Every structure is written in C-alpha cells, then in structure tokens.
Amino acid sequence: MTASDRPLISQGNKLCIFVLLCLALLGQIACQEGIYVDAVVPAEHEVLGEDQYVCFRVDLPKQSLKIVGVDPLSTQDVVHHMLLFGCASEGPANEAWPCHMTSPCRGGFERVLYGWGKNAPAMSLPTGVGYGVGPGSAMQSLVLQVHYLQERPAGDQSGIRLRMTSKSTPFSAGMINYASYFTIPPGKPKHPIENQCCYSGFEILKGFAFRVHTHALGRSVNLERIEQQNGKQVSKELCERDPQLPQGFAPLKDNILIRPGDTLKATCMFDSSAVHNPVNAGATHNDEMCNLYLMLYSQLPFFMACYGSPQVDRHGMGGIPPAGRVELDLHASWQPPSALGVSPPGSKSAGPIAFGQVSAVAKGHNSDIWVFQRGDVVWTMQTFRSEDKGQHIADPTAFVQAPAVVQLDQDTGDVLSSWGENLFLMPHGLTVDFEGNVWVTDVGLHQAIKFDQQGNQLLVLGKRLEPGSDSVHLCKPTHVAVANDGTIFVADGYCNSRVVRYSATGNFEAEYRLPRGEMDIPHSLVLDECSDALYVADREHSEVHKFVISDQRLQGTWNLKQSGYVYSITAGPYGTILALCWAHREDPRLEAVNLVLLSADATGGGPEETWRLEGVGAPHDIALAASPMPVQGTGERTLAVFVAETKPAGSMLRKFLFVPQGTSMADMVEAGVMEADQSAELIPGGHGVEAHLAYAHQVSKDAPQPLKSNEAHNSVGIVASHKLHMPTTLDPLSGDPALTLPGHVLHQNHQVTSGTVASDQDHAGSVDDLALKHEQTVHKGLIQSDIPASDASDMIIKEEQRKLRSQIPVSPGGIVGHHAAAQPQSAGFGTAVSQLSSFGMPFAGLFAVAAVVLWKRLGDLQPLTAHGSQFAA
C-alpha cells in the first residue's frame, strides 16, 4: 500500500482522541486536586445604596473538610472588602441578609478565617495546614460577608472560591485579629492607635501571614512583641505594611514564634493633617478603622479577638470540649516503651528501653514528649534516712543506670532519643522551656538542673547532696517553671514548703510562701505570664494556690479536696489550668484518679469540670498535647492527656483522649483509620523534617509556574487566579511551612482616593458589641514519698491490651495543584461544589493509555488523495 492509499483520520477519530486526552487530563487533575466551593452573592439579592453589607451561608458538602486556599472572585471597583467567618452553628440556609453592624454568625463566638480588599491576590495555606470545618470540627458552617461600595451592578457574581481537601493535615490554621474603637483628632500628621493582647495557652504558635486594614487616613500598620529585658519592657517589630496596598494576606519573611505569655501590640498610624473634624472608628467610608489579622498555625487551632483585651472561647476550637469523656487511647499506633520487665506481645517498643517509675512527662515543641523515669530504682520507705526527717538519701551511690530522660514521638510513643545514665539518684520533675532546654529536679541530689536536648549540663541550682533552706540550697525540689525571659521558679519541695525564684543566670531573687501556715509539699508549678500569675499545686492540702509573680502576694486558692490530692497541674488551651488528682482510699475499689478543670474565677474557687481517668495507678504527672492524626482523621485534632505513673512495679506512660459527646473511642479510631492521610506525617514536626524537606522540594519542582502579570486578568479586567499553584517554602532550619502567594503583581486601581474607601465590618458587630465581646505523705514531717505505704506492696503490673489494631499505608499524597476561575460559572444560590475524587488516578491512566494507542494506530495514516475515496485495510 502506497502513501497515497492511506486513509484520512476521520473527524470522529479526532473527536475520540480529543475526548480521551481530556479525560486523561481530568483524571490527572482529579488525583491532585480536592474540593472546590464557589461562594457568590445570590443573583436575586438586591443591593441598593452605598456601603451595604451582605452576608450568606456558604453551602458545604456534608463531610469533614480542611480549607487550604481561597481565590477572590471580585474587583475593588465593586466590592470594598470580603470577610469569611467560621461559625459554631449551621445558621440559616438559602438566604442572604443585610449584616451592617450585626453579627455575621447571628450569635455565638465567630472566627475570621480570611479577608480580602483592594484587588488582593489569591492565597494558599502552607502545606500541611488547613482550617477544619464541618463534622469533627467546632466550626460547623461558614458565612461570607461582602461589603458593596455602591448599588450592585447587573450580572455581578462577587464572592470567593474555597479550595478544600478531605485529607488530614497535621497543623490547624488559626487567627488573632485586632480591632478597637477610637477617635482621631484633626490636624495630626501622625496619630497612633494601639491595641495589645497577651497569648495564654500551652502550645507555641507560629504566625505566617498578616493582613492590615484602615481607611484613607491610614499610613502604616505594624505588629510588635513586647518583651522583658533586664526588668524593662522593650518592643520588637515583627511586621509592617502600608494599608493602602492590596489588602490580602501577605506572607511574613520569617515565621513569628508566639510563646504563651507573649504580648503582641498592633499599631495603626493615621495622618489627619488634611481633616478638619474628628474622625471616629466606624463601618462607613466616612469613618476609620484599625485592623490587623495575624494568620497562624499550630497542632490545635487557636483563635483570639483582641479588642483591648483578649476575647476567646475556652470551649471552642482547640479548647476543652464542653461535654464528653476522657478515654484511654486504643489506637494501635500508640506503643510507648513497656514497663520494666514486661514485653507486650507484638510491641514494637519492647526494646532496650523499659520504664521504671515514670515520675514526669512534659510536652516538647516538635511533636514530641519528654519522660523522666527511674529505671530499676524505686522510691520506698527506706529510700531516705528516717533520723533526719527523710532529708538525706540512704544510698548516695545508687544512681539510675538506665537512660532517665527519654524523648518520644507524641503520636506513636517511638523513642527518638535518650540519655541520663548514671546521672540521677531519684528523678522527680521535668520541664521543657520555650527554648527547648530540658529542666529536671532530683530529690536525692537536692538539685534542679538545666540540660540541652542532647544531655549537656548547662546550669545547676542547689548544692549536691546538701539539703538546706537558704538562698543557695534546696531540699528535695519537685518541679521547675521557666518564664519567657529566662526567670526560673523551683518548687522546693518536700522539706521547705516554698517556691524559689532565680534570675536566668541562677541568682536568688525571691521566694513564695503562704501567708498562713505552710504548703504541704508544693509539687507542681504553672506560669501564666499574661496574668502575672504563678500557680502552685499544694499536694497534701488538695489545693492550688495562685501567687502574683511580681510581688509574691497570694491572690487566690482552689479547693480540690473532693477530687483528691493534687499531684500535678498544667497549662491548658485558652488560659485554662488542669489538675491531676488522686483520691486515696483504704479500699482500692474506692480509689479514683481525676482530671480537673479549675474554674475560671481569677481569685480561686473549685473544680469547673471533672473527668475520671480509668485504669491509672499511682499517678504523678500529666502533660497535654494534640491527639494523634490517625485517630482524628480529617477532623480537628483535640486534646491528648499523658499520665505518668509511679507504681513500684508496672509503671506506664498512659495516654488518654478527649472524646466528644455522642461518640466513643472506638468510633474515633474507626473514623480516623478511614480518613487519615498518612502523607501528613511527612509534614514538619521535629523528627519528620528531613523527609518533609525532600517531599516539599519535589512538590516545588513539579509545580506549575506562577502567572505572569499580563496573564492575570480576564476580558473584563477582574483579577483571575487560575493555575495559581504556589510551591511550598520552608524554613531552612526548622522545616516549618510558609505561606505561598501568587508571583504576579497587580497593577490596576491601587491608588486610594480620600472618601472612596469603606471599612471592614469586623465580627464584633456594633461599637457596643466591641466593648462586650470580648506524692502522698506517710507521716507529716517525717518521710514523704510518691505513693502511700499501704499501697506499695499491693500494686502489681497491669498491661493494657490493645483492642483495635490497623495498618495505615503511608503515601506521599497531598495537595499539589489547584485551579480557580475569575468568575464561577455555576447558577443558583450562593455556592457551587465541585469534587474531584480519588477515582481519577486509575481512570486517568486508562484514558491516557487508550489515547496513546489510538494516536499511534492512526498516526501512520495519511490524508486521502484526490483520487482516493476508500480507507485502506
């Protein structure tokens, strides 16, 4: 057959090839992308007049989702700003409503998730970070607020496109937003408005992006950290931006580390030199406003509104659940080292490290926890000499031979590092400060010692083997707390009934004592620098005392006698304080171990809520962390509670989880196994940094390039954001994720003319709303020990049997691309949902192979010649 005899590719074959290639492309997109929700103002909703606010609920799929990006679908000549709110309740559906100076969520605590103005570009959250919404989250619905400058034009489809995923993320996005009421006097070229709040919690937060907003008089908005240095307050600027630039979220050059106790101050600088009358804060373009939004991430979500004082929901997202139980973690992934002499069947941790008495547990800062354990050394009635009231240890050569300090993965219990062989006589307390240093107390050595994470000794307080009560001695110290400026607090302890304060270099400064009588074993400490407070667990009195740090005054006391002896206290989310209590009873069947939430009263009280911790013996210390991802799945991570036991035999490190009301641990495990995306384990978290760096590098290398500026507009001049994949960037040292934004620069309508810019409507509502929103003693004075003597001989090892085990495959999946159009093409009310599900990959492959085969088969065919009219066989 000659070339002239080869038939022509028919139009049908061309169409077939085209369809197959399109399906292959669609399948490829499906396996990379997630769920997109277009939220636009309903076409039937009229907007008449200027400065009108419209709110409507964003309809979402009925499943747990994470928001990972937002694309704006409007332009500044129509819309002044848009704000996306997270609401605790579902709210009304199928309607839009005017929301000028009203609560967008129509009651309840509201959370600002995103803001846009002045043609700001699209935004992607860092890899591994997302806003949780829907089932499994305290945020049940979303409301979009749109501020129209003038009457709504015909055909307007202003709104946003949400990029979402059903995969789990190790970090939750959160927000600190600033707003205040003020008056600007006329004729002032520089008039600052300041607003500051303090962060009270237990996790280190990481700020990665910020947005500012003022009206025409604003010249700059900045954020500072207020720090204590040598007894004086100093300010350090963290970020600054011109509010007349596009008002989207700008990435920070470096992540901001926000420690509990840090005070952050937002300042807006206004120029009223051309104004002849006072200008008040308000919602119209004739008023002014001072807003700053700091977007952040942490393992547990954190939201705070700063209106001169912090406004938080302590039972909301990332907080203590308002109802439910605390249950033992049954997931097969949790396998810490076993008790000394015990190797549970199939335990992956039955290795060289086994726990003796576990005297302390503390949260680290890299998805880890730290344990202080006694190996084969046991505190008994004979450990300390009775002739001197138990102050001297009987055998000062009996050191713990095993690694006493052990670092574990907080989700799995895997051993990450260990050290401390032959260093300690009787381990007791352990603390990880905000620089990552490890502090321990040894009641046998009578010392508090500071180490780095590799076990190198940095500082020692107290004299070795010398008990005392002066400024250079300690006597059986129990615990250490460290302030952000390095100031040290030592609970001292079994003999002295005091708390000693030292400078960062170890110089004695002050001590804290009760004004009446003595504390009976100050056993545990918590600092709340936001309220200038030092909390002390008075173990044998079953009380928690609150002292003023600055002047040592006793400010309040919580009576927990109904819950038991107070062994440990710890800082919880949103300024809460939790206590571990042990109710001793002669009849073991009547014993109880309780987790207690202290009432929120600043001057003391009792328990606000109590949870029973089943199966725990001789509890000694607690720590909080985020619940494991395999259990939580796509839902928000809740609190995990780690409990250290000091039983003479069979001591364990136990982990409990807060279980929401209406569900069970078995339900959570089953849901988590089905939904968890183990690729998130590659996201930064201490020991996973190297793997994440390699993964992020590959994602970045494979990502589409940002649009050029001339590609960023469609035919009507609206900012487009399609194909805006933003490669993840990482801190080269920590591997922390960073915000990514489009590479193009907007060039239209950025100049602001006085009198044409309207204000953000913050979720505070009206001005009035702004103001409104806002170890038991055997014989007293004799020998003290960790456990009652009557129980010491009766305690036997009880290993928890794993009830549920599963294998979850690890895959390098995740969000690697996204697509958004300038205007949604969907019709109907409010929102349109497009879900690209997991079936895309296999079909993509099949379609691609079929297309290639067909193309190759037809590629040899040539067009018909003038005299050919038949296809060749």
Side-chain angles (χ1 to χ4, degrees):
M1 182 176 61
T2 64
S4 60
D5 295 326
R6 291 174 181 170
L8 176 70
I9 302 177
S10 70
Q11 295 299 318
N13 283 332
K14 288 182 179 180
L15 179 60
C16 180
I17 294 172
F18 177 76
V19 170
L20 287 171
L21 290 174
C22 288
L23 289 173
L25 178 61
L26 179 61
Q28 181 65 26
I29 293 174
C31 68
Q32 292 185 349
E33 302 182 347
I35 299 168
Y36 303 106
V37 176
D38 290 334
V40 299
V41 178
E44 64 272 17
H45 187 84
E46 293 185 344
V47 178
L48 304 176
E50 62 180 21
D51 288 329
Q52 296 298 307
Y53 288 74
V54 177
C55 289
F56 63 94
R57 195 186 81 178
V58 180
D59 291 333
L60 298 173
K62 301 298 183 182
Q63 64 183 105
S64 295
L65 295 170
K66 292 290 181 70
I67 301 172
V68 296
V70 184
D71 302 320
L73 306 176
S74 192
T75 180
Q76 70 173 9
D77 58 347
V78 175
V79 170
H80 172 260
H81 81 264
M82 295 183 289
L83 288 177
L84 181 66
F85 294 88
C87 305
S89 59
E90 289 195 1
N94 301 321
E95 67 171 287
W97 64 92
C99 54
H100 181 259
M101 301 302 287
T102 62
S103 167
C105 290
R106 295 187 172 183
F109 194 82
E110 304 163 355
R111 300 160 183 88
V112 176
L113 308 182
Y114 170 76
W116 172 91
K118 294 181 178 293
N119 283 351
M123 181 193 73
S124 292
L125 296 183
T127 300
V129 178
Y131 284 117
V133 64
S137 171
M139 195 156 57
Q140 291 297 301
S141 66
L142 304 175
V143 171
L144 183 65
Q145 178 195 82
V146 181
H147 176 185
Y148 282 94
L149 288 170
Q150 305 291 337
E151 182 175 328
R152 185 183 184 188
D156 170 70
Q157 287 188 307
S158 292
I160 59 174
R161 166 167 285 184
L162 296 174
R163 285 179 268 115
M164 314 180 83
T165 179
S166 58
K167 297 180 180 180
S168 57
T169 61
F171 297 105
S172 294
M175 188 81 72
I176 300 177
N177 60 285
Y178 293 80
S180 57
Y181 181 75
F182 54 87
T183 298
I184 303 173
K188 298 287 185 179
K190 290 186 177 182
H191 183 77
I193 298 297
E194 299 177 346
N195 186 7
Q196 68 181 44
C197 284
C198 185
Y199 164 54
S200 183
F202 75 102
E203 275 196 285
I204 292 180
L205 311 177
K206 296 185 179 181
F208 61 89
F210 73 111
R211 174 182 182 260
V212 303
H213 176 78
T214 71
H215 296 174
L217 302 184
R219 294 298 174 262
S220 71
V221 181
N222 77 329
L223 185 68
E224 301 170 287
R225 190 200 313 273
I226 309 299
E227 299 178 345
Q228 293 286 337
Q229 292 184 5
N230 301 320
K232 297 181 179 179
Q233 280 194 350
V234 297
S235 297
K236 177 183 178 181
E237 184 173 279
L238 303 175
C239 56
E240 187 273 338
R241 187 170 175 84
D242 182 347
Q244 306 308 328
L245 295 175
Q247 293 181 356
F249 279 91
L252 293 164
K253 181 179 180 181
D254 299 304
N255 284 342
I256 298 173
L257 297 184
I258 307 169
R259 305 161 299 181
D262 276 351
T263 296
L264 301 181
K265 181 175 73 172
T267 302
C268 297
M269 188 65 68
F270 294 96
D271 179 4
S272 63
S273 55
V275 176
H276 304 292
N277 296 302
V279 179
N280 295 321
T284 75
H285 65 269
N286 295 316
D287 304 313
E288 263 300 343
M289 207 157 207
C290 174
N291 295 136
L292 186 144
Y293 304 87
L294 179 63
M295 194 177 290
L296 47 87
Y297 71 87
S298 50
Q299 290 188 334
L300 293 171
F302 178 83
F303 289 86
M304 179 172 71
C306 183
Y307 305 137
S309 62
Q311 307 294 314
V312 298
D313 181 3
R314 57 193 247 141
H315 296 297
M317 294 183 68
I320 304 292
R325 301 175 312 285
V326 177
E327 295 187 12
L328 195 67
D329 183 1
L330 300 177
H331 198 274
S333 63
W334 172 245
Q335 294 185 8
S338 59
L340 195 63
V342 176
S343 297
S347 172
K348 64 181 177 182
S349 297
I353 294 180
F355 286 157
Q357 290 182 312
V358 184
S359 63
V361 58
K363 185 186 184 313
H365 306 309
N366 291 303
S367 300
D368 56 349
I369 54 173
W370 291 77
V371 169
F372 205 21
Q373 64 103 14
R374 296 170 181 166
D376 57 1
V377 171
V378 178
W379 189 340
T380 69
M381 297 296 296
Q382 291 75 43
T383 299
F384 290 87
R385 301 202 307 249
S386 59
E387 58 266 27
D388 57 3
K389 295 185 179 181
Q391 293 187 6
H392 290 85
I393 198 163
D395 185 356
T397 66
F399 287 92
V400 177
Q401 297 180 6
V405 179
V406 183
Q407 181 191 22
L408 303 176
D409 181 295
Q410 73 180 41
D411 281 2
T412 66
D414 289 342
V415 175
L416 305 178
S417 69
S418 62
W419 46 267
E421 300 92 331
N422 299 305
L423 286 181
F424 308 106
L425 285 173
M426 188 54 65
H428 198 276
L430 182 146
T431 302
V432 180
D433 67 23
F434 294 123
E435 292 181 349
N437 301 304
V438 179
W439 293 77
V440 300
T441 59
D442 189 321
V443 296
L445 294 174
H446 304 289
Q447 291 179 318
I449 310 171
K450 176 184 180 181
F451 296 91
D452 65 17
Q453 293 199 5
Q454 289 70 48
N456 300 305
Q457 184 175 293
L458 304 176
L459 181 68
V460 178
L461 302 173
K463 300 295 184 179
R464 185 181 180 88
L465 296 173
E466 294 183 15
S469 57
D470 56 22
S471 62
V472 296
H473 287 85
L474 299 170
C475 188
K476 299 171 81 171
T478 55
H479 195 223
V480 173
V482 184
N484 289 339
D485 66 355
T487 300
I488 308 157
F489 299 80
V490 179
D492 183 35
Y494 283 89
C495 314
N496 289 330
S497 298
R498 64 176 181 170
V499 178
V500 186
R501 188 179 81 208
Y502 300 91
S503 70
T505 56
N507 296 319
F508 176 87
E509 291 186 346
E511 61 180 31
Y512 301 78
R513 294 182 181 270
L514 287 179
R516 44 104 187 137
E518 290 185 342
M519 290 182 282
D520 199 347
I521 310 182
H523 204 254
S524 183
L525 304 175
V526 167
L527 288 175
D528 184 356
E529 296 184 67
C530 291
S531 59
D532 192 29
L534 168 67
Y535 292 86
V536 184
D538 187 349
R539 196 185 82 179
E540 298 303 302
H541 284 149
S542 299
E543 293 176 335
V544 175
H545 306 296
K546 179 182 179 182
F547 291 91
V548 179
I549 294 176
S550 54
D551 60 15
Q552 299 89 56
R553 286 184 297 109
L554 178 67
Q555 190 176 28
T557 295
W558 284 259
N559 186 328
L560 304 181
K561 285 183 171 58
Q562 67 184 46
S563 301
Y565 298 101
V566 186
Y567 273 74
S568 177
I569 54 176
T570 188
Y574 297 114
T576 54
I577 303 294
L578 290 161
L580 175 68
C581 298
W582 184 10
H584 300 278
R585 299 290 185 269
E586 291 185 5
D587 185 346
R589 294 173 299 178
L590 301 178
E591 285 199 359
V593 177
N594 296 308
L595 179 66
V596 178
L597 173 64
L598 300 191
S599 62
D601 191 337
T603 58
E608 178 178 318
E609 193 163 357
T610 302
W611 299 268
R612 178 74 65 89
L613 301 179
E614 300 289 352
V616 177
H620 198 257
D621 197 15
I622 56 171
L624 300 181
S627 60
M629 286 179 53
V631 174
Q632 292 303 134
T634 313
E636 291 290 354
R637 300 172 77 168
T638 59
L639 281 171
V641 182
F642 297 87
V643 182
E645 295 179 326
T646 55
K647 295 184 294 187
S651 290
M652 299 288 292
L653 176 66
R654 302 191 184 275
K655 181 167 67 170
F656 294 81
L657 303 179
F658 275 91
V659 179
Q661 188 175 31
T663 187
S664 67
M665 177 58 62
D667 294 335
M668 293 175 63
V669 170
E670 182 180 0
V673 169
M674 292 173 62
E675 298 179 7
D677 172 24
Q678 290 299 89
S679 66
E681 288 186 350
L682 302 178
I683 305 301
H687 51 277
V689 169
E690 292 184 2
H692 175 66
L693 287 171
Y695 170 61
H697 173 72
Q698 184 64 35
V699 171
S700 178
K701 183 175 68 175
D702 296 340
Q705 296 300 309
L707 291 177
K708 299 178 182 179
S709 58
N710 61 357
E711 296 174 333
H713 300 82
N714 64 13
S715 60
V716 295
I718 298 177
V719 179
S721 55
H722 75 278
K723 290 295 181 186
L724 290 184
H725 172 70
M726 278 62 80
T728 301
T729 58
L730 296 172
D731 186 303
L733 296 179
S734 67
D736 292 331
L739 181 79
T740 48
L741 292 172
H744 64 272
V745 178
L746 301 175
H747 56 78
Q748 64 172 24
N749 300 325
H750 284 176
Q751 298 300 317
V752 176
T753 305
S754 179
T756 63
V757 181
S759 66
D760 269 359
Q761 166 64 31
D762 279 290
H763 63 276
S766 66
V767 172
D768 290 337
D769 291 335
L770 272 175
L772 290 174
K773 284 192 175 182
H774 147 46
E775 300 180 317
Q776 176 179 1
T777 302
V778 173
H779 227 297
K780 199 167 185 177
L782 216 49
I783 299 175
Q784 296 93 8
S785 67
D786 288 334
I787 59 175
S790 60
D791 294 342
S793 61
D794 297 331
M795 293 186 177
I796 61 174
I797 185 167
K798 292 182 180 179
E799 176 62 24
E800 290 290 338
Q801 298 298 319
R802 304 294 178 183
K803 297 181 180 179
L804 294 173
R805 296 181 180 274
S806 61
Q807 297 296 325
I808 305 175
V810 177
S811 63
I815 296 180
V816 296
H818 63 264
H819 176 278
Q823 293 281 7
Q825 301 302 314
S826 58
F829 175 80
T831 58
V833 180
S834 173
Q835 182 165 3
L836 299 172
S837 58
S838 58
F839 72 83
M841 177 62 79
F843 280 100
L846 290 175
F847 286 131
V849 170
V852 170
V853 171
L854 184 58
W855 183 268
K856 181 174 179 60
R857 172 69 184 88
L858 299 178
D860 294 332
L861 304 181
Q862 297 296 322
L864 287 171
T865 60
H867 60 271
S869 60
Q870 303 259 339
F871 288 106

